[in-house]
Amino acid sequence: MEDNKKKYLIITYGCQMNIHDSELLAGMLEEMEYHQTAEIEEADLILINTCIIRENAELKFFGKVGSLKALKEKKAGLIIGVGGCMMQSDQAVKELYQKYPQVDLIFGTHNIHHLPDLIKRIEQERGRIVEVWKQEEGLIPDLPAKRENISQAWVSIIQGCNNFCSYCIVPYVRGRERSRPVAGIMQEVNKLVADGVKEITLLGQNVNSYGQDLGDEVDFADLLQKLDKVDGLARIRYMTSHPRDFSQKLIDTIRKSEKVCEHFHLPIQSGSNHILTKMKRGYTREKYLDLIKRIRETVPDASITTDFIVGFPGEREEDFIATMDLVNQVQFDLAFTFIYSPRTGTPAAGMANQLEPEVKKERLNRLMKTQNLISLEKNKKLINSIVEVLVEGESKNNRMMYSGRDRKNKLVIFPKKDNAKGALVRVKINRVQSFTLFGEIIEASFNKKLVVETG
Ligand code: 5AD
Ligand code: SF4
């Protein structure tokens, strides 16, 4: 490692979209001959990629950036840059610029490809720069990603969101939907597979709107069909999909495909039609239940996960009971549950009947308790079954163990065996918790096509 090279470190908050953006930021920095470091004290450049989806993401960020002040005072020449979704908010930029003089650079989600120029300007002129574009200018151009993982990769297929759910800030910070042409996606995926990638996750705020703006009669199902034919690729995942746009054609395509995983993440947000209407989700509880029924009829062994927001303005106890009832009815494999967080600029933030924090917390706890039991019961059925796992690496909590995910996206932990990192292996499950399956490798079938057995 050449020690005279400048070093960078990126801190990322938020969703997979942001994690992938950070890979692109890292890719550009590597091309500028910066090297990655894990030690913050060593860094010549620190970038923070922010999230704005809920208030706690913002609070964590301000805590972090505050803590960098001492470092900046100690180290002459340290550059601190902040980008990401939060920087699309004028108010956040104003606060950051005025109260945090340690920050040299502020940039937004629409101009990440300008990072090299911005950094060069700061290196030369040593001033502070704020460059945030209010609007997208077409697609962000293809950029080289620096991937941490050898066998898995994110592939962006559509940027932005047109939905404007009443609680959500995303459309305001990520702009309108823009699909990436098929050719560019296929080219990227073929290259990734040639580099050894076995699993791709197609990314977009609403992947099932894919193609609507392209004008060449291609939709998300068509894209999946094309990708399913890529030799050497083992798994295709996608996120996030909107229940309103999940067509029967898409379900049938997934059923017929070999590589698209049997996992459906379909955020419902609430089980009450009164709340769903206020959220502007575009479906009813009945429509959602019908979708789940059709998925289960077509792909019988699928796992189904969801997101919930509890404590939306005007949520009555009876609305919450409708959510609890739906949870019991659907029997999700997993649910991500969030307390409603008012986001300035969204319609819901201005609605009457905002709920007290205690009410929201109590409902969240009730929902989590019920769902965790359901997740546990579902996982118990997997004891003694054999699942195909793509080994991601050492488990976070135990260095003697590997962790990875099965096709249904369940986290699987097992003792290390051979040099299985990055490989597809067969794991026999012997113990389960609500969020985790434990087992041991029975066969390390590197690169072989596997059939999953359930028992
Ligand atoms: N408050 C709480 N949760 C939210 N989400 C999106 N916006 C908000 C908000 N204002 C949740 C939704 C979405 C997930 C990614 O984040 O459940 O599906
Ligand atoms: Fe992701 Fe939305 Fe957060 Fe941006 S605001 S990082 S798109 S979750």
XYZ file of all heavy atoms in Angstrom, residues 284-328:
366
model
N -56.304 -0.676 -2.242
C -57.051 -0.905 -1.010
C -56.486 -2.155 -0.331
O -55.743 -2.920 -0.941
C -58.531 -1.174 -1.316
O -58.586 -2.299 -2.196
C -59.210 0.018 -1.954
N -56.911 -2.341 0.900
C -56.560 -3.556 1.631
C -56.976 -4.801 0.830
O -56.213 -5.758 0.698
C -57.311 -3.483 2.974
C -57.311 -4.707 3.796
C -58.404 -4.562 4.867
N -58.463 -5.789 5.644
C -57.819 -5.969 6.791
N -57.119 -5.009 7.318
N -57.897 -7.120 7.416
N -58.182 -4.745 0.247
C -58.708 -5.902 -0.499
C -57.833 -6.185 -1.722
O -57.527 -7.330 -2.021
C -60.170 -5.645 -0.936
C -61.176 -5.605 0.214
C -61.085 -4.347 1.091
O -60.634 -3.289 0.590
O -61.441 -4.408 2.285
N -57.449 -5.135 -2.438
C -56.593 -5.303 -3.631
C -55.263 -5.943 -3.227
O -54.736 -6.817 -3.912
C -56.320 -3.930 -4.268
C -57.389 -3.460 -5.213
C -56.776 -3.292 -6.626
C -57.838 -3.161 -7.698
N -58.495 -1.857 -7.689
N -54.717 -5.476 -2.104
C -53.429 -5.996 -1.638
C -53.564 -7.484 -1.293
O -52.735 -8.301 -1.685
C -52.946 -5.187 -0.426
C -51.553 -5.593 0.042
C -50.420 -4.987 -0.491
C -51.380 -6.586 0.998
C -49.148 -5.359 -0.080
C -50.112 -6.974 1.419
C -49.001 -6.344 0.874
O -47.741 -6.730 1.283
N -54.631 -7.807 -0.562
C -54.831 -9.207 -0.172
C -55.004 -10.096 -1.403
O -54.512 -11.226 -1.444
C -56.044 -9.336 0.760
C -55.829 -8.775 2.174
C -57.140 -8.758 2.958
C -54.770 -9.571 2.939
N -55.665 -9.568 -2.415
C -55.846 -10.329 -3.653
C -54.485 -10.555 -4.339
O -54.207 -11.639 -4.855
C -56.801 -9.575 -4.589
C -56.959 -10.280 -5.916
O -57.436 -11.435 -5.896
O -56.572 -9.722 -6.958
N -53.641 -9.539 -4.305
C -52.296 -9.688 -4.889
C -51.518 -10.795 -4.174
O -50.897 -11.659 -4.810
C -51.553 -8.340 -4.797
C -50.082 -8.324 -5.212
C -49.936 -8.678 -6.694
C -49.457 -6.948 -4.946
N -51.572 -10.782 -2.854
C -50.857 -11.801 -2.075
C -51.395 -13.197 -2.423
O -50.637 -14.152 -2.604
C -51.018 -11.546 -0.549
C -50.451 -10.180 -0.166
C -50.380 -12.660 0.288
C -48.975 -9.992 -0.380
N -52.710 -13.277 -2.539
C -53.340 -14.567 -2.873
C -52.826 -15.058 -4.228
O -52.438 -16.226 -4.379
C -54.863 -14.377 -2.898
C -55.647 -15.647 -3.122
C -57.139 -15.393 -2.822
C -58.025 -16.292 -3.647
N -58.447 -15.734 -4.943
N -52.792 -14.161 -5.217
C -52.345 -14.569 -6.551
C -50.871 -14.950 -6.556
O -50.467 -15.890 -7.229
C -52.654 -13.469 -7.567
C -54.148 -13.418 -7.893
C -54.476 -12.423 -8.993
N -54.335 -11.042 -8.540
C -53.484 -10.169 -9.046
N -52.679 -10.512 -10.010
N -53.418 -8.934 -8.576
N -50.070 -14.231 -5.780
C -48.643 -14.584 -5.701
C -48.500 -15.985 -5.105
O -47.763 -16.826 -5.619
C -47.859 -13.540 -4.858
C -47.734 -12.227 -5.629
C -46.469 -14.074 -4.479
C -47.128 -11.088 -4.846
N -49.252 -16.244 -4.039
C -49.116 -17.549 -3.370
C -49.637 -18.684 -4.241
O -49.111 -19.790 -4.190
C -49.814 -17.519 -2.010
C -48.996 -16.690 -1.035
C -49.362 -16.959 0.404
N -48.344 -16.426 1.283
C -48.588 -15.675 2.358
N -49.839 -15.399 2.699
N -47.595 -15.244 3.105
N -50.663 -18.389 -5.035
C -51.168 -19.414 -5.961
C -50.139 -19.721 -7.044
O -49.983 -20.861 -7.467
C -52.454 -18.918 -6.647
C -53.700 -19.134 -5.801
C -54.895 -18.321 -6.316
O -54.817 -17.736 -7.422
O -55.889 -18.256 -5.577
N -49.444 -18.670 -7.501
C -48.531 -18.837 -8.640
C -47.151 -19.319 -8.196
O -46.538 -20.158 -8.848
C -48.395 -17.493 -9.414
O -49.679 -16.890 -9.506
C -47.832 -17.699 -10.806
N -46.650 -18.751 -7.106
C -45.309 -19.126 -6.602
C -45.505 -19.635 -5.165
O -45.287 -18.901 -4.205
C -44.346 -17.910 -6.621
C -42.907 -18.332 -6.345
C -44.425 -17.148 -7.936
N -45.929 -20.893 -5.006
C -46.425 -21.366 -3.697
C -45.424 -21.210 -2.547
O -45.823 -20.970 -1.423
C -46.713 -22.850 -3.957
C -46.767 -23.007 -5.436
C -45.951 -21.920 -6.035
N -44.150 -21.327 -2.842
C -43.182 -21.336 -1.760
C -42.540 -19.972 -1.488
O -41.531 -19.888 -0.796
C -42.103 -22.364 -2.119
C -41.624 -23.062 -0.879
O -42.349 -23.008 0.127
O -40.514 -23.619 -0.923
N -43.147 -18.916 -2.034
C -42.501 -17.603 -1.958
C -42.456 -17.057 -0.535
O -43.338 -17.345 0.275
C -43.271 -16.627 -2.834
N -41.437 -16.275 -0.242
C -41.474 -15.509 1.016
C -42.009 -14.122 0.684
O -41.750 -13.583 -0.397
C -40.090 -15.431 1.662
O -39.251 -14.583 0.930
N -42.755 -13.577 1.626
C -43.360 -12.259 1.403
C -43.032 -11.361 2.591
O -43.260 -11.724 3.750
C -44.888 -12.372 1.198
C -45.170 -13.253 -0.035
C -45.519 -10.992 1.044
C -46.632 -13.463 -0.357
N -42.459 -10.213 2.284
C -42.096 -9.261 3.346
C -42.746 -7.911 3.034
O -43.206 -7.679 1.915
C -40.568 -9.101 3.449
O -40.064 -8.664 2.181
C -39.894 -10.408 3.825
N -42.765 -7.041 4.027
C -43.462 -5.761 3.843
C -42.880 -4.658 4.727
O -41.995 -4.917 5.550
C -44.972 -5.948 4.130
O -45.696 -4.850 3.574
C -45.259 -6.042 5.618
N -43.384 -3.447 4.520
C -43.079 -2.309 5.401
C -44.388 -1.779 5.965
O -45.399 -1.754 5.256
C -42.460 -1.142 4.613
C -41.103 -1.439 4.024
O -40.486 -2.434 4.409
O -40.665 -0.638 3.162
N -44.343 -1.324 7.210
C -45.496 -0.651 7.824
C -45.070 0.695 8.382
O -43.970 0.828 8.933
C -46.027 -1.454 9.021
C -46.821 -2.668 8.633
C -46.273 -3.932 8.797
C -48.101 -2.548 8.132
C -46.998 -5.056 8.454
C -48.842 -3.669 7.788
C -48.290 -4.933 7.951
N -45.975 1.653 8.279
C -45.804 2.912 9.012
C -46.913 2.955 10.049
O -48.094 2.837 9.685
C -45.930 4.126 8.076
C -44.813 4.116 7.024
C -45.899 5.421 8.878
C -44.920 5.244 6.002
N -46.564 3.085 11.311
C -47.613 3.229 12.333
C -47.642 4.673 12.826
O -46.626 5.357 12.833
C -47.425 2.275 13.548
C -47.513 0.836 13.125
C -46.133 2.551 14.270
N -48.841 5.102 13.206
C -48.992 6.452 13.758
C -49.099 7.517 12.693
O -48.758 8.685 12.935
N -49.586 7.155 11.511
C -49.853 8.161 10.476
C -50.912 9.130 11.008
O -51.781 8.729 11.793
C -50.344 7.455 9.206
C -50.479 8.353 8.020
C -49.366 8.688 7.270
C -51.714 8.881 7.665
C -49.482 9.533 6.174
C -51.833 9.733 6.565
C -50.717 10.051 5.816
N -50.878 10.428 10.593
C -51.869 11.383 11.109
C -53.294 10.856 10.953
O -53.658 10.367 9.884
C -51.651 12.629 10.237
C -50.289 12.491 9.664
C -49.923 11.051 9.680
N -54.058 10.954 12.028
C -55.460 10.525 11.975
C -55.653 9.027 12.119
O -56.776 8.541 11.970
N -54.588 8.265 12.418
C -54.743 6.808 12.593
C -55.492 6.545 13.910
O -55.004 6.857 14.994
C -53.371 6.116 12.623
C -53.475 4.590 12.697
C -52.099 3.917 12.903
O -51.556 4.027 14.038
O -51.592 3.316 11.956
N -56.687 5.990 13.788
C -57.481 5.658 14.978
C -57.121 4.252 15.439
O -56.543 3.478 14.675
C -58.979 5.720 14.648
C -59.431 7.068 14.096
C -60.725 6.948 13.309
N -60.584 6.056 12.163
C -61.504 5.882 11.205
N -62.628 6.555 11.250
N -61.304 5.047 10.214
N -57.530 3.928 16.658
C -57.282 2.575 17.160
C -57.871 1.539 16.194
O -57.255 0.526 15.897
C -57.860 2.426 18.579
C -57.682 1.035 19.207
C -56.233 0.604 19.458
O -55.321 1.449 19.452
O -56.012 -0.616 19.647
N -59.050 1.845 15.646
C -59.670 0.868 14.734
C -58.850 0.689 13.449
O -58.842 -0.388 12.861
C -61.121 1.263 14.416
C -61.244 2.558 13.628
C -62.671 3.089 13.567
O -63.052 3.810 14.511
O -63.376 2.799 12.595
N -58.161 1.768 13.017
C -57.291 1.638 11.838
C -56.105 0.737 12.169
O -55.708 -0.113 11.372
C -56.752 3.008 11.400
C -57.862 3.941 10.957
O -58.715 3.487 10.172
O -57.881 5.098 11.406
N -55.571 0.955 13.354
C -54.423 0.134 13.758
C -54.835 -1.338 13.913
O -54.094 -2.245 13.526
C -53.802 0.678 15.054
C -52.642 -0.150 15.494
C -51.465 -0.162 14.750
C -52.716 -0.955 16.629
C -50.391 -0.965 15.120
C -51.648 -1.751 17.009
C -50.481 -1.751 16.256
N -56.015 -1.554 14.459
C -56.526 -2.934 14.595
C -56.639 -3.597 13.211
O -56.346 -4.779 13.041
C -57.897 -2.955 15.343
C -57.724 -2.491 16.787
C -58.555 -4.346 15.288
C -56.923 -3.400 17.689
N -57.039 -2.793 12.218
C -57.127 -3.333 10.845
C -55.738 -3.761 10.359
O -55.588 -4.779 9.670
C -57.721 -2.283 9.909
N -54.709 -3.012 10.741
C -53.335 -3.387 10.387
C -52.944 -4.695 11.088
O -52.398 -5.610 10.462
C -52.349 -2.252 10.784
O -52.647 -1.105 9.985
C -50.903 -2.658 10.582
N -53.247 -4.779 12.378
C -52.916 -5.993 13.139
C -53.640 -7.205 12.548
O -53.072 -8.293 12.434
C -53.337 -5.834 14.605
C -52.534 -4.817 15.366
S -50.870 -5.404 15.721
C -51.199 -6.347 17.191
N -54.879 -6.982 12.179
C -55.684 -8.056 11.598
C -55.069 -8.534 10.269
O -54.981 -9.731 10.001
C -57.105 -7.514 11.389
C -57.988 -8.516 10.704
O -58.372 -9.480 11.380
O -58.265 -8.360 9.493
N -54.607 -7.568 9.480
C -53.990 -7.923 8.193
C -52.697 -8.718 8.405
O -52.413 -9.687 7.693
C -53.720 -6.655 7.387
C -53.122 -6.919 6.016
C -53.930 -6.240 4.921
C -51.674 -6.491 5.935
N -51.932 -8.303 9.415
C -50.678 -9.016 9.733
C -50.972 -10.479 10.070
O -50.301 -11.387 9.594
C -49.964 -8.300 10.904
C -48.971 -9.205 11.593
C -49.254 -7.078 10.393
N -52.004 -10.678 10.866
C -52.361 -12.053 11.231
C -52.861 -12.840 10.028
O -52.601 -14.025 9.906
C -53.409 -12.044 12.344
C -52.772 -11.730 13.689
O -51.752 -12.319 14.055
N -53.329 -10.774 14.414
